Amino acid sequence: MRPDVLNTFLGSILVIILIYVEYVNSRYSSDRVQKKRFCYLLIITFIILLADFVYSLSGGISYGIHMVLNFIPVLLTVCVLLMFSRIFKVITFIAVPLLLVLFMVGVCAHTSSGDSIISVYAKPIWPFLAAFLLYTYFIIVQKETRIDNLTGFENRYSFNEFVNGLSRRKASESWLILIIDMDRTRDINNNYGHLEGDNAIRSLAAVIKNCVRKTDFVARYGGDEFALVTKSETSADVIIKDIKEELSRYNEKSRKPYKIGIICGSDIYKTGTNRQVEEFINHIDSMMHDQKQEHRRTSDEQTASRPQAAAGGTV
């Protein structure tokens, strides 16, 4: 076997092993199904690559077998593209199939001397597949770092990136930005423990998920805060009403010793202006702070008035 061919196989094998070891030992993955699928693809690719390597070392000279062994990694590349289609950009769906077609044409086309333009024995498809798997792994890692593990929503970093993208748009568009804060989170943590507080946040996230559209952007903005960004076709009042009704149904069915409540702040952000997003978010936070103070003051007054009512006083 020629040294360049040997390097092609060994380099691809090493890349696949490193990706597998790194991904299996990673703890940040929140999508177990995606992780299993990708690991299975790595294992299958490694087995076929190793079989091709062993066959080449044994001196196999069958042109037909070499053609089959070139076609399988092409099929694996297509499988990766389809199985993880939701994480790729449009350019990937153009570039990868185009390169595969050029490769197959190069393998099948022959020069005047009768040799293929791309030798079926050099296996250039394996480095391409290894590079594509490495690229896919990088995108998966990038996506995972943007996901909040507790709720499955996007995280604060992803939210900031999204709204900063809105601020750079020149066209005039109206977007509703809604901040949803879980009420009395500290009381739940103090009375029932932080683990139960996490369960409450997770439950609220599930309620919100049932009330939003796939086109809406939702992120865990803070510890017990969620941010929702959507086109201002639907008013904030309608969205808040839907969430509160869904939350009321959850509280009725839940056997928890507490009820989950929310406090919301919202406003319309218009693109194409010079208004800073940070200033706009601070404006919503200020609105929410005032609502929290008013809500807690009212709740405290109601709590303080209950003993008087029991004793025959007026409320």
Side-chain angles (χ1 to χ4, degrees), residues 28-46:
Y28 53 78
S29 179
S30 59
D31 193 337
R32 294 183 179 179
V33 175
Q34 177 178 265
K35 187 171 185 176
K36 286 183 179 179
R37 287 179 178 176
F38 190 65
C39 288
Y40 286 150
L41 272 172
L42 289 173
I43 293 172
I44 293 171
T45 302
F46 176 78

Side-chain angles (χ1 to χ4, degrees), residues 7-258:
N7 292 335
T8 296
F9 277 113
L10 293 182
S12 301
I13 290 173
L14 180 61
V15 169
I16 292 172
I17 290 175
L18 290 176
I19 296 173
Y20 180 81
V21 171
E22 179 67 25
Y23 197 32
V24 167
N25 292 329
S26 65
R27 298 181 179 180
Y28 53 78
S29 179
S30 59
D31 193 337
R32 294 183 179 179
V33 175
Q34 177 178 265
K35 187 171 185 176
K36 286 183 179 179
R37 287 179 178 176
F38 190 65
C39 288
Y40 286 150
L41 272 172
L42 289 173
I43 293 172
I44 293 171
T45 302
F46 176 78
I47 292 173
I48 297 174
L49 174 56
L50 193 61
D52 193 4
F53 179 54
V54 172
Y55 176 76
S56 300
L57 281 179
S58 65
I61 58 174
S62 172
Y63 181 84
I65 294 178
H66 277 293
M67 284 295 293
V68 171
L69 291 174
N70 270 285
F71 177 76
I72 292 177
V74 172
L75 182 61
L76 288 173
T77 304
V78 174
C79 287
V80 175
L81 190 64
L82 295 178
M83 291 178 66
F84 301 95
S85 58
R86 62 187 178 90
I87 69 173
F88 294 126
K89 296 182 179 179
V90 176
I91 186 64
T92 306
F93 290 95
I94 299 174
V96 173
L98 179 61
L99 290 173
L100 291 178
V101 169
L102 291 175
F103 168 75
M104 294 304 297
V105 169
V107 170
C108 297
H110 290 76
T111 63
S112 57
S113 61
D115 297 328
S116 298
I117 296 177
I118 297 179
S119 173
V120 296
Y121 301 98
K123 305 297 182 185
I125 188 61
W126 285 119
F128 174 78
L129 177 55
F132 186 51
L133 287 169
L134 184 61
Y135 171 72
T136 304
Y137 172 68
F138 283 151
I139 294 180
I140 290 174
V141 171
Q142 186 182 49
K143 291 289 183 182
E144 291 288 351
T145 57
R146 298 168 181 264
I147 299 296
D148 174 62
N149 290 331
L150 181 65
T151 63
F153 285 146
E154 306 274 351
N155 57 22
R156 177 70 171 269
Y157 172 82
S158 185
F159 170 78
N160 289 338
E161 187 177 68
F162 183 85
V163 295
N164 284 331
L166 293 180
S167 67
R168 290 191 293 268
R169 297 191 181 188
K170 296 182 179 180
S172 179
E173 299 175 353
S174 296
W175 290 81
L176 171 66
I177 299 182
L178 178 68
I179 305 295
I180 304 168
D181 180 43
M182 190 172 78
D183 192 27
R184 302 290 185 179
T185 306
R186 181 178 298 178
D187 293 343
I188 297 175
N189 288 332
N190 292 339
N191 296 329
Y192 308 104
H194 287 273
L195 182 60
E196 190 58 43
D198 287 345
N199 290 335
I201 293 173
R202 190 184 293 112
S203 298
L204 177 57
V207 168
I208 296 174
K209 190 175 296 184
N210 290 335
C211 299
V212 298
R213 302 169 298 182
K214 291 183 179 180
T215 54
D216 296 336
F217 180 90
V218 185
R220 187 182 179 192
Y221 183 68
D224 60 352
E225 291 182 332
F226 297 88
L228 189 155
V229 185
T230 182
K231 282 290 189 71
S232 59
E233 302 163 352
T234 306
S235 69
D237 292 338
V238 173
I239 297 175
I240 295 171
K241 179 183 177 183
D242 291 342
I243 294 175
K244 286 187 174 181
E245 288 178 352
E246 182 71 17
L247 189 57
S248 178
R249 286 190 288 268
Y250 168 81
N251 285 328
E252 289 178 2
K253 296 178 181 178
S254 174
R255 297 182 179 179
K256 302 291 185 179
Y258 55 84

